Amino acid sequence: AAMESELREALATGGFCLHYQPQVDLDGSIVGAEALLRWEHPRRGLVYPAEFVPLAEEAGLIMDIGRWLLEESCRQLVNWSAHPFTASLALSVNVSVRQFRHPGFVSQVKDIIAATGADAGKLKIEITESLLIQDLEDTKRKMLELKAMGLRFSLDDFGTGYSSLAYLQRLPLDQLKIDQSFVQDVATNQNDAAITRAIISLGHNLGLSVIAEGVETMDQQVFLVREGCQNFQGYLHHRPLSATMFDAFARSRG
Ligand code: G
Ligand code: G
Ligand code: NA
Ligand code: MN
């Protein structure tokens, strides 16, 4: 309960911020970023989503936090669009099941894009497999409505959930994101290598782009490149950065 009121206060007083982790292509050029939510706690310092998103969901605060997050992401896209080094970048945002399922989600996104003037074509929504298990029709209808506005969809943590592969082709996805648990030992473990290889070819055969997350070493990257993966995110390239640090990094890579 104490944390709940602290979260409400953070919402009211600008206590959240976003960090941006670069996503790169085969050349190492930045093609986008994932927005990662942080809570700047007055005493505890930076608090990570694992520690407060579940509580925020239970407390019914996730739509308000989600609104802030989408607004901030769209403001960032508008800022980026004004500078040559960042103008082409896409931004991925994490949307929880509860947020996506909310009846007001699509209109919330619409309103925020209209209010900020962000290019919807640069906004990518990361969903997880749990969204595919239940109420596929609701998921599909909302995805199609958002796709019609230009948004794209990435399936996060792919391979760790329980979704049927049949759903993949029934939903208008744009990208598969290989979960970092497979990437971790991809260069040394035969099973992880086989799963990763299968995900990459599945994605490409379905016409989706494939991004690997949690890429930490050159060995992992070399394996992924050899298997045809074309986008990468992880500490090998960069940790999540504050907005200011991200701009400086994009400039240095441009
Ligand atoms: O770096 P990090 O600890 O931020 O990410 C941990 C987890 O928190 C990830 O699984 C990520 O999907 C989730 N997460 C990060 N930002 C957000 C967000 O804005 N909304 C939601 N719902 N989850 C997020
Ligand atoms: O949304 P998702 O669950 O995929 O969130 C990604 C999480 O992985 C975030 O907590 C992010 O900070 C973290 N992360 C990003 N790159 C790396 C990496 O190279 N190694 C590890 N261990 N974690 C990473
Ligand atoms: Na994510
Ligand atoms: Mn993930």
Side-chain angles (χ1 to χ4, degrees):
M3 197 195 255
E4 187 179 325
S5 68
E6 285 184 331
L7 281 171
R8 287 184 197 281
E9 190 179 323
L11 261 175
T13 59
F16 294 105
C17 71
L18 293 182
H19 281 188
Y20 301 90
Q21 186 171 36
Q23 299 180 335
V24 305
D25 66 10
L26 284 167
D27 304 325
S29 306
I30 306 183
V31 293
E34 178 178 2
L36 294 159
L37 183 64
R38 272 89 182 90
W39 177 14
E40 297 176 292
H41 193 277
R43 289 181 313 282
R44 292 163 63 203
L46 219 52
V47 183
Y48 290 79
E51 283 191 60
F52 66 88
V53 165
L55 179 77
E57 299 219 313
E58 271 173 52
L61 288 170
I62 203 68
M63 283 306 279
D64 290 335
I65 294 178
R67 167 183 297 278
W68 178 84
L69 179 118
L70 282 165
E71 281 170 352
E72 185 69 8
S73 298
C74 286
R75 282 192 290 265
Q76 188 60 252
L77 278 172
V78 171
N79 286 343
W80 284 350
S81 71
H83 301 283
F85 294 114
T86 48
S88 67
L89 302 184
L91 185 58
S92 295
V93 299
N94 292 282
V95 169
S96 72
V97 173
R98 210 175 289 202
Q99 194 184 348
F100 189 94
R101 282 278 172 255
H102 193 285
F105 178 66
V106 171
S107 61
Q108 184 184 66
V109 174
K110 257 184 206 165
D111 292 349
I112 291 170
I113 285 180
T116 56
D119 176 1
K122 299 261 161 45
L123 196 60
K124 204 180 275 175
I125 294 186
E126 292 199 5
I127 57 174
T128 54
E129 285 172 77
S130 40
L131 208 53
L132 278 54
I133 297 169
Q134 267 179 22
D135 212 345
L136 195 69
E137 285 313 308
D138 178 68
T139 301
K140 189 172 170 183
R141 185 179 53 75
K142 286 177 170 168
M143 285 177 77
L144 287 172
E145 255 184 88
L146 292 165
K147 294 268 304 183
M149 299 166 53
L151 280 91
R152 284 174 290 168
F153 286 91
S154 182
L155 190 56
D156 197 10
D157 304 333
F158 185 67
T160 61
Y162 298 93
S163 68
S164 149
L165 294 181
Y167 296 159
L168 288 184
Q169 49 153 353
R170 294 182 50 195
L171 290 171
L173 289 163
D174 298 283
Q175 184 177 63
L176 290 185
K177 199 164 189 185
I178 307 169
D179 190 66
Q180 52 188 15
S181 63
F182 301 121
V183 173
Q184 180 124 42
D185 296 320
V186 81
T188 51
N189 179 301
Q190 287 304 314
N191 294 329
D192 289 335
I195 290 167
T196 299
R197 193 178 287 129
I199 292 174
I200 295 168
S201 63
L202 174 69
H204 289 162
N205 286 330
L206 291 172
L208 309 176
S209 75
V210 178
I211 184 167
E213 68 176 1
V215 182
E216 295 181 350
T217 70
M218 264 323 277
D219 285 353
Q220 294 166 349
Q221 172 95 10
V222 165
F223 176 92
L224 291 161
V225 169
R226 201 175 59 221
E227 296 302 329
C229 186
Q230 292 172 326
N231 291 101
F232 314 90
Q233 179 183 340
Y235 298 162
L236 176 67
H237 300 287
H238 226 291
R239 290 179 176 266
L241 296 161
S242 69
T244 309
M245 296 294 285
F246 183 89
D247 281 356
F249 179 66
R251 205 169 287 267
S252 74
R253 283 282 183 106

